[in-house]
Amino acid sequence: MTEQDKFDKVKIMYASLEKCSFQFEHCWHLLQDQPKWIWCSTNPDPKRRKMMSPSPTPTRCSDATVDSIFDLEANNVVDNKVVELNRPMGRKAEKGKRKAQALSAQEIVGLNKLKYTLLEESRAQEKEYFHLKAEKMKYKKEKELNFIRLEDERLRLEAEKMKNEKEKELNKIRQEDERLKLEAEKVDLAKKEADQCIMMMDVSATPRLQRLYFEQLQRDIMSRRNDTGHLD
């Protein structure tokens, strides 16, 4: 049922009990959403009670006691029950309640702000962590690249050093070969000069043994010249 259906049903039950129609509907519409009305209907006050006993003949549209209270859900009248009439909330109580609600709202706002601050700090820390991790990876990569560059430079210097040493050895060998060549040419020149001197000697006036010796040397020179193909 809707709220209006319930209200219509209650008016019918009221008319059945009181033998008259409910004359304060306009009051109900004004008060049903008021804080004091809601508080009175949900918070019984044990200090202020009013016993409502059944009457042999129900009074007609009076503001005295009602004969009984009724169950709205089951449409059954329950007799001989105690109805507790609660005192409406006073100004101080209502002010205290509003103050408590305001403090509670402030606490909720404060907790939400604290939660948001902690969340922002957590995000900032996470961002800083990933930033430091990226910086560490970048530093490690640069370190590895520097190591590779240094190793390449070392190998290049080693290769240049080996190349220079090899060139030095080759120069030394070339110089030695040149020296030996010059020495050989010098020896050959000296030998040619000696052969030429021997070949130019006039041994006719020398003693017989000397003449035979130099003649043999001259024949050896000629034979050697013929073998090498050099003829002067």
Side-chain angles (χ1 to χ4, degrees), residues 10-199:
V10 169
K11 288 196 296 181
I12 295 172
M13 297 176 69
Y14 181 88
S16 176
L17 290 173
E18 297 293 335
K19 307 303 180 181
C20 67
S21 62
F22 184 66
Q23 300 177 359
F24 304 101
E25 184 174 349
H26 62 287
C27 297
W28 162 253
H29 287 299
L30 291 174
L31 298 175
Q32 62 175 339
D33 295 326
Q34 294 299 318
K36 285 189 178 182
W37 185 278
I38 297 174
W39 188 87
C40 290
S41 63
T42 56
N43 297 277
D45 186 4
K47 293 182 179 180
R48 296 184 61 84
R49 295 181 179 178
K50 186 174 183 181
M51 302 298 294
M52 305 187 71
S53 58
S55 176
T57 58
T59 59
R60 187 176 182 81
C61 299
S62 64
D63 57 350
T65 60
V66 295
D67 298 294
S68 59
I69 64 174
F70 41 83
D71 186 357
L72 297 182
E73 298 295 332
N75 293 330
N76 296 325
V77 177
V78 182
D79 296 328
N80 300 325
K81 295 295 182 179
V82 177
V83 177
E84 296 181 355
L85 299 180
N86 299 317
R87 181 183 180 183
M89 183 183 294
R91 291 184 178 181
K92 290 184 179 180
E94 185 178 359
K95 187 176 180 181
K97 184 177 180 181
R98 288 199 302 267
K99 187 176 180 180
Q101 290 176 351
L103 290 176
S104 178
Q106 291 178 359
E107 290 177 356
I108 293 174
V109 172
L111 290 174
N112 288 334
K113 287 183 178 180
L114 180 60
K115 183 178 179 181
Y116 178 77
T117 302
L118 293 175
L119 182 61
E120 289 296 322
E121 290 179 355
S122 176
R123 289 178 178 175
Q125 291 176 359
E126 185 177 2
K127 185 177 180 180
E128 183 66 18
Y129 168 76
F130 284 112
H131 176 70
L132 292 175
K133 188 174 182 180
E135 290 291 332
K136 184 178 180 181
M137 293 177 66
K138 182 179 178 181
Y139 172 76
K140 186 177 180 181
K141 186 176 180 180
E142 289 180 354
K143 187 176 180 181
E144 291 177 353
L145 291 176
N146 288 331
F147 176 78
I148 292 173
R149 284 194 292 267
L150 291 174
E151 188 67 16
D152 291 341
E153 185 67 16
R154 186 185 68 81
L155 294 174
R156 187 182 67 81
L157 293 176
E158 289 289 337
E160 289 183 356
K161 183 178 180 181
M162 293 176 64
K163 182 179 179 181
N164 292 333
E165 290 179 354
K166 185 177 180 180
E167 289 181 355
K168 286 181 180 180
E169 291 293 331
L170 291 175
N171 289 332
K172 190 181 290 184
I173 293 172
R174 284 194 294 267
Q175 290 176 1
E176 186 67 18
D177 290 342
E178 187 68 21
R179 187 185 66 79
L180 292 175
K181 182 179 178 182
L182 292 175
E183 289 289 336
E185 289 179 353
K186 186 177 180 181
V187 171
D188 187 56
L189 181 60
K191 191 174 183 179
K192 286 181 179 180
E193 290 177 353
D195 290 343
Q196 187 175 3
C197 290
I198 292 172
M199 293 298 296

